[in-house]
C-alpha cells in the first residue's frame, strides 16, 4: 500500500484547433465562440498518470484552471479514468500570464497536499510558452523533469528519460516531483465505453459528483488576488496579427509511373532558374 | 449478465429520427426511462450532412416555440426556384410552370449537424426536469455490430477491449437510425425486403459569399448532368452569407466514373454560380448517400424482435419532394408510442414494437411516399425522359429558345413518343396503381462499355473557385489515427481482376471513379495492379460499397470518433 501514488495532472481547455476560431478586433482569440477541447499536449501527461497508477495504484487528480466551461475537460479526464477533478475558476484570474497561472496552480497543489508526482503537458496549443510547468515546480520547490518521454517509479524514486538535443538523457530524482511529458511519449488511449458509462452513472449522484469534482476559487486555496489576473501578470501583449490562413492548394501526383510524376513535381517547383533546379536536375 | 450495461432504449445514430424518438419518449414517459444514444462522430452532428430545405412540420410539433428561440435556423425560404440550366444559360422557371413539389416557399433551411446539436440540448433539458429520466449520449462510440439472442436483437457492440461485459451495450429496444452501416444487416437477416434499396450520392460545399442569399433556394435540372443520369443540383442561401451548393447524383448510372465532387465543380463553373461565389471562400465540404428507393424499397416490417428501423435505415426519404429530414423525424415521432407501450407491457416482440408502422404509413408520411412510389421508376421505365427530353429542353435553352419550344418540336417529330411521355408524367404526378416495382441494385447499372457524351462546358470561369477532389477533401476536416480500418476489402483477387477489366475498358474502377474523397486508388506492385485505400480521406459516405460491381467492399462504422467533421454542414 505504501507505494500508492498521489498523482496530479494539470490539464487545460483550449480553443479547438480543428475549428475556425473567431478573432477579436484586438487580435486575441474569441474564446467564447471557439469550440473547445483538451490541450492535446496534456493528453500525454494524462496517459503517463494512467500508466503509473496501473503500475503502482493510487489516485489521479486532474486540475484545471479556467472559466466554468473548463469543467468539461475534467469530465473528459474522469471518463479517461482519472479519479478526481478540481476546477479553479475565479473571475479575478482572467488575463493571467504564465507567472500568475503558475502561482495559482501552485496554490492549488499546495491545497491538495501530499502530492507525489505532478504531470503537465509540454506546453499548450493556445499559449505555446512551455513556461507554466517549470514555474510551478520552482514555486513548489520540487525537482522537475521536462521533455520526459518515459519514466518508472522505483523505491520511491523516479527514473526517467527525457529528450535532449541529439538524444535522450537518463536521470533519477526523488519525489515529490514535477514532470512535463513530451509529445513523443505514449499517446492517450481511447476512452473505454465501460469507463464512460460508469462515470456517467457516478456523476448522476449529486453527492458523488461533489466529491469527485470540486470547484475552487482564490479564497479557498488561500491565494493572493494581487498575484494573479491582469494585476499579477507582468507580460504585456504588444500586438498580434494574422500572418496568413491555411488553405488547400494540395496536389497529388499520381496515376503515371513514379519517375514521371517526380518530373512533373519538379516542373511544378520551378522557380525560373532562381532556386531548386540546380539541385534537382 | 449481472454486470452487463443495459438501457431501456438504445439509439444507434444521433440523427433526426432517433433524436425525435428520444425527445418524444421523454415527453410521453410516465415512468423512469433510461436511454443511450450512440453516435459514431466525435461529436453529435459531426457525421450529419443534408441539403437541407425541409418542411418544418415535425420541428414545429416538437418545439412549438422554435421560430422564437435559439433554434439553429439558417433561413426561411422566401424564393424557391426550379432552374433549367445549360452550359450557357440559367432559366428560373416561372411559378406556374413549376411542379408543386418543387415549390419550397415557407420551408426551413437547416443544417442538419446544428439541428442535431440543438435537439440533444433540448433532450438534456427535458431529462433534467423529469424524475427518473436518464439520457446518456456517447459521441465517438460507434455501434459496430449487433448482438442477438436467437432471433431477437438484444444489444450492440460499441467498444473493442475484448471483454464483452465492457464492450456491449444491451437494450430492450434498439432503434436503428443509421444510413445502413448496421441496419442493412437487420434487413438482410430478417429478410425484410425483396427489393434492394437504391441510392443517390450527394456532395455539398458550404461557401461564405460577399452577398447574402438568405432565403433563396434553387434546384437545378440539366447541366452538368450527363444525359440519362438521374439527379440535379441545389443552391441554398443561408444566414451569415453562407451558401450551400450541392449535387445529388444517382448511383444507378452506366458511367463507372461519376466523380461526384468534380460534377459539383462543373456546376460551379456556370456563370450564374460563379457570380455568387466570386470573392467568397470555401468553408466546408462533405458527402453522403440518400436512400431513394422510396415506398417499394422500404422494409416490409419496420420492427423485429428487440429492434426498430427509423429514418434512412427504414428508407422513409421521398425523392420526389426531396423530403428526408421531416419524414425521418416523423418516423421517430410515431415510433415513440409503440416503444413506450412495449416498455410498459414488457413486450419487445416485433409485433408490439412495430405498431407505429400503421400510423406512420396511414399518416402524411405514408401518403406522400405512396404518392411518390413510381417517381423514380418513371425515369427507369421511360429512359427517354432523362436521355432525350430533358437534354432536348436544355439544348433549346442553350440556343436561346424557350423551354417549351423543344417540347413542341418533339411532339411534332415523334407524336407516339410524346404520348409515352404523358404516361411518364402520370407516373410522376398522379400515379394509378400498377403494382410494385422492382429495382436493380445500383452496382448492376455500371457498364464498362459506357460512352461519355460530348457536352458543352461553360467558358470564362474562375479556376481559383474550383477544387480538385484531393483539395476539397481538406475541407471535410477528416481525422483518423493509425489504428483505423473501417472499410473491408473482402477479397484482394476480386479487386485485382476488377481493375484488370476496367483498365482494359479505359476506365477507373467504380470505387475509384465514384469516390467522393479520393480514398480508393489502384497501385502497381510490379506484377499486377491492386486496390488500395487512403482511409484517412474518407468522409464515410458508403458510395464505394454501393457501386462496387462485385460487392467486394464493406464500409463499417469507424470507431473512436474518426471521420469527417461536418459541423455547420
Amino acid at each position: 500500500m505504501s507505494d500508492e501514488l498521489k498523482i496530479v495532472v494539470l490539464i487545460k481547455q483550449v480553443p479547438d484547433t480543428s475549428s475556425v476560431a473567431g478573432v477579436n478586433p484586438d487580435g486575441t482569440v474569441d474564446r467564447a465562440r471557439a469550440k473547445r477541447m483538451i490541450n492535446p499536449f496534456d493528453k500525454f501527461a494524462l496517459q503517463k498518470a494512467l500508466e503509473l497508477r496501473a503500475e503502482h495504484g493510487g489516485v489521479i487528480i486532474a486540475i484545471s484552471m479556467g472559466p466554468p466551461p473548463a469543467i468539461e475537460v475534467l469530465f473528459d479526464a474522469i471518463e479517461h479514468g482519472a479519479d478526481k477533478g478540481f476546477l479553479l475558476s475565479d473571475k479575478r484570474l482572467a488575463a493571467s500570464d504564465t507567472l500568475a497561472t503558475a502561482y495559482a496552480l501552485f496554490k492549488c497543489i499546495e491545497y491538495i497536499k501530499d502530492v507525489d508526482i505532478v504531470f503537465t503537458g509540454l506546453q499548450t496549443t493556445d499559449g505555446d510558452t512551455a513556461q507554466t510547468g517549470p514555474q510551478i515546480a520552482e514555486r513548489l520547490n520540487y525537482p522537475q523533469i521536462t521533455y520526459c518521454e518515459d519514466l518508472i517509479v522505483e523505491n520511491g524514486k523516479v527514473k526517467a528519460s527525457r529528450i535532449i538535443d541529439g538524444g535522450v538523457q537518463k536521470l533519477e530524482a526523488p519525489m515529490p516531483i514535477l514532470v512535463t511529458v513530451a509529445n513523443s511519449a505514449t499517446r492517450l488511449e481511447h476512452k473505454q465505453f465501460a469507463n464512460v458509462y460508469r462515470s456517467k452513472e457516478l456523476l448522476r449522484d449529486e453527492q458523488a459528483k461533489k466529491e469527485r469534482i470540486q470547484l475552487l476559487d482564490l479564497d479557498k486555496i488561500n491565494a493572493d488576488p494581487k498575484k494573479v489576473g491582469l494585476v499579477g501578470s507582468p507580460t504585456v501583449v504588444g500586438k498580434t496579427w494574422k500572418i496568413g490562413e491555411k488553405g488547400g492548394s494540395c496536389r497529388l501526383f499520381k496515376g503515371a509511373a513514379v519517375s514521371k510524376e517526380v518530373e512533373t513535381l519538379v516542373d511544378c517547383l520551378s522557380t525560373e532558374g532562381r532556386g531548386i533546379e540546380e539541385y534537382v536536375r | 449478465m449481472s454486470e452487463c450495461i443495459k438501457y431501456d432504449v438504445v439509439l444507434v445514430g444521433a440523427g433526426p429520427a432517433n433524436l425525435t424518438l428520444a425527445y418524444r419518449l421523454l415527453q410521453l414517459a410516465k415512468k423512469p426511462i433510461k436511454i443511450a444514444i450512440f453516435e459514431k462522430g466525435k461529436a453529435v452532428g459531426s457525421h450529419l450532412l443534408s441539403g437541407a430545405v425541409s418542411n418544418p412540420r415535425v420541428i414545429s410539433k416538437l418545439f412549438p416555440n422554435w421560430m422564437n428561440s435559439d433554434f439553429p435556423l439558417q433561413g426561411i425560404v422566401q424564393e424557391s426556384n426550379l432552374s433549367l440550366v445549360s452550359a450557357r444559360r440559367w432559366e428560373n422557371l416561372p411559378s406556374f410552370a413549376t411542379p408543386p413539389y418543387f415549390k419550397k416557399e415557407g420551408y426551413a433551411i437547416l443544417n442538419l449537424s446544428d439541428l442535431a446539436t440543438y435537439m440533444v440540448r433540448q433532450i438534456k433539458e427535458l431529462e433534467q426536469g423529469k424524475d427518473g429520466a436518464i439520457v446518456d449520449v456517447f459521441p465517438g462510440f460507434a455501434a459496430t455490430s449487433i448482438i442477438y439472442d436467437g432471433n431477437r436483437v438484444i444489444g450492440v457492440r460499441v467498444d473493442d477491449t475484448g471483454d464483452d461485459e465492457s464492450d456491449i451495450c444491451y437494450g430492450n429496444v434498439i432503434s436503428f437510425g443509421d444510413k445502413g452501416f448496421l441496419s442493412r444487416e437487420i434487413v438482410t437477416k430478417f429478410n425484410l425486403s425483396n427489393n434492394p434499396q437504391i441510392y443517390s450520392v450527394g456532395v455539398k460545399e458550404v461557401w461564405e459569399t460577399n452577398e447574402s442569399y438568405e432565403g433563396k433556394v434553387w434546384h437545378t435540372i440539366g447541366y452538368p448532368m450527363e444525359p440519362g443520369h438521374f439527379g440535379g443540383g441545389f443552391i441554398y442561401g443561408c444566414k451569415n452569407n453562407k451558401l450551400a451548393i450541392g449535387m445529388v447524383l444517382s448511383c444507378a448510372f452506366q458511367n463507372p466514373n461519376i466523380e461526384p465532387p468534380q460534377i459539383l465543380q462543373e456546376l460551379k463553373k456556370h456563370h450564374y454560380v460563379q457570380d455568387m461565389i466570386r470573392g467568397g471562400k470555401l468553408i466546408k465540404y462533405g458527402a453522403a448517400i440518400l436512400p431513394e428507393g422510396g415506398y417499394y424499397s422500404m422494409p416490409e416490417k419496420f420492427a423485429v424482435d428487440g429492434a426498430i428501423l427509423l429514418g434512412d435505415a427504414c428508407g422513409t426519404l421521398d425523392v420526389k419532394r426531396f423530403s428526408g429530414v421531416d419524414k425521418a423525424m416523423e418516423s421517430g415521432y410515431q415510433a415513440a408510442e409503440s416503444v413506450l407501450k412495449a416498455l410498459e407491457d414488457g413486450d419487445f416482440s416485433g409485433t408490439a414494437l412495430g405498431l407505429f408502422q400503421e400510423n406512420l404509413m396511414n399518416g402524411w408520411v405514408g401518403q406522400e411516399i405512396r404518392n411518390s412510389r413510381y417517381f423514380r421508376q418513371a425515369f427507369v421505365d421511360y429512359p427517354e425522359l432523362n436521355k432525350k427530353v430533358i437534354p432536348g429542353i436544355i439544348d433549346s435553352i442553350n440556343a436561346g429558345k424557350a423551354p417549351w419550344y423543344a417540347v413542341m418540336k418533339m411532339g411534332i417529330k415523334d407524336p407516339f413518343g410524346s404520348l409515352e411521355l404523358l404516361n411518364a408524367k402520370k407516373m410522376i404526378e398522379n400515379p394509378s396503381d400498377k403494382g410494385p416495382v422492382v429495382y436493380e441494385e445500383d452496382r448492376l447499372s455500371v457498364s464498362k462499355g459506357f460512352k461519355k457524351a460530348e457536352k458543352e462546358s461553360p467558358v470564362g470561369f474562375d479556376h481559383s473557385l474550383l477544387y480538385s477532389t484531393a483539395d476539397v477533401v481538406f475541407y471535410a476536416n477528416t481525422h483518423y489515427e493509425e489504428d483505423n480500418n473501417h472499410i473491408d476489402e473482402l477479397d484482394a483477387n476480386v479487386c485485382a481482376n476488377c481493375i484488370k477489366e476496367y483498365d482494359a475498358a479505359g476506365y477507373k474502377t467504380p470505387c475509384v471513379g465514384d469516390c467522393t474523397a479520393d480514398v480508393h486508388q489502384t497501385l502497381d506492385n510490379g506484377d499486377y495492379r491492386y486496390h488500395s485505400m487512403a482511409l484517412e480521406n474518407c468522409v464515410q459516405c458508403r458510395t464505394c460499397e454501393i457501386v462496387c460491381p462485385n460487392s467486394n467492399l464493406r464500409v463499417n462504422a469507424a470507431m473512436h470518433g474518426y471521420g469527417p467533421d461536418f459541423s455547420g454542414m
Side-chain angles (χ1 to χ4, degrees), chain A residues 171-183:
Chain A
L171 36 82
E172 196 179 292
M175 293 195 289
I177 188 170
L178 184 141
V179 178
T180 81
V181 182
N183 56 341

Side-chain angles (χ1 to χ4, degrees), chain B residues 81-264:
Chain B
N81 297 294
L82 176 61
S83 311
L84 298 179
V85 180
S86 76
R88 272 178 263 165
R89 289 174 191 274
W90 184 292
E91 298 284 343
N92 294 329
L93 280 181
S95 182
F96 71 85
T98 307
Y101 44 87
F102 271 106
K103 293 181 182 170
K104 303 288 183 186
E105 278 90 355
Y107 280 29
I109 306 174
L110 304 169
N111 81 47
L112 209 49
S113 63
D114 283 357
L115 175 66
T117 315
Y118 173 82
M119 288 182 74
V120 166
R121 218 161 52 225
Q122 299 302 313
I123 288 167
K124 291 306 272 184
E125 260 175 42
L126 216 51
E127 176 206 18
Q128 291 298 316
K130 192 142 190 156
D131 261 355
I134 289 171
V135 183
D136 286 338
V137 190
F138 297 94
F141 287 96
T144 52
S145 63
I146 304 170
I147 310 297
Y148 302 94
D149 178 9
N151 269 334
R152 186 180 154 194
V153 178
I154 54 167
V156 280
R157 186 176 297 278
V158 293
D159 205 350
D160 63 349
T161 65
D163 170 16
D164 276 358
E165 226 163 62
S166 322
D167 291 351
I168 296 173
C169 183
Y170 294 92
N172 285 325
V173 184
I174 318 282
S175 172
F176 292 89
D178 59 320
K179 280 193 192 252
F181 289 90
L182 267 195
S183 53
R184 66 184 157 196
E185 187 181 309
I186 301 275
V187 176
T188 316
K189 181 180 163 88
F190 295 97
N191 207 7
L192 297 181
S193 176
N194 41 31
N195 199 17
Q197 183 58 270
I198 56 173
Y199 295 93
S200 270
V201 54
V203 282
K204 174 177 163 183
E205 290 179 7
V206 176
W207 280 71
E208 195 171 284
T209 53
N210 287 337
E211 258 178 73
S212 171
Y213 298 94
E214 183 177 338
K216 293 183 186 171
V217 304
W218 294 262
H219 290 104
T220 75
I221 293 176
Y223 176 84
M225 298 301 296
E226 192 90 25
H229 194 181
F230 179 81
F234 64 84
I235 302 179
Y236 299 154
C238 306
K239 68 177 183 192
N240 299 330
N241 285 22
K242 298 282 195 310
L243 195 67
I245 311 169
M247 291 292 308
V248 176
L249 310 157
S250 169
C251 294
F253 186 41
Q254 291 78 8
N255 186 354
N257 297 167
I258 298 174
E259 306 210 30
Q262 290 313 307
I263 297 192
L264 178 54

Side-chain angles (χ1 to χ4, degrees), chain A residues 244-280:
Chain A
E245 205 169 313
K246 65 178 181 180
S249 56
C250 154
R251 184 172 157 197
L252 293 182
F253 295 88
K254 59 178 193 180
V258 171
S259 56
K260 194 139 201 181
E261 292 295 0
V262 170
E263 264 180 46
T264 328
L265 167 66
V266 170
D267 285 344
C268 286
L269 294 174
S270 161
T271 53
E272 279 145 15
R274 280 180 291 111
I276 191 164
E277 288 88 345
E278 53 184 295
Y279 298 102
V280 294

Side-chain angles (χ1 to χ4, degrees), chain A residues 190 193 197 200 204 245 250, chain B residues 34 136 159 471 483 562:
Chain A
H190 298 294
F193 165 62
Y197 171 80
K200 281 183 193 292
R204 253 194 279 284
E245 205 169 313
C250 154
Chain B
K34 206 175 160 197
D136 286 338
D159 205 350
D471 277 352
D483 57 347
Y562 295 158

Side-chain angles (χ1 to χ4, degrees), chain B residues 46 71 96 136 152 220 238 361 372 436 440 509 519:
Chain B
S46 49
F71 184 87
F96 71 85
D136 286 338
R152 186 180 154 194
T220 75
C238 306
M361 293 313 279
S372 305
E440 190 178 49
T509 55
V519 171

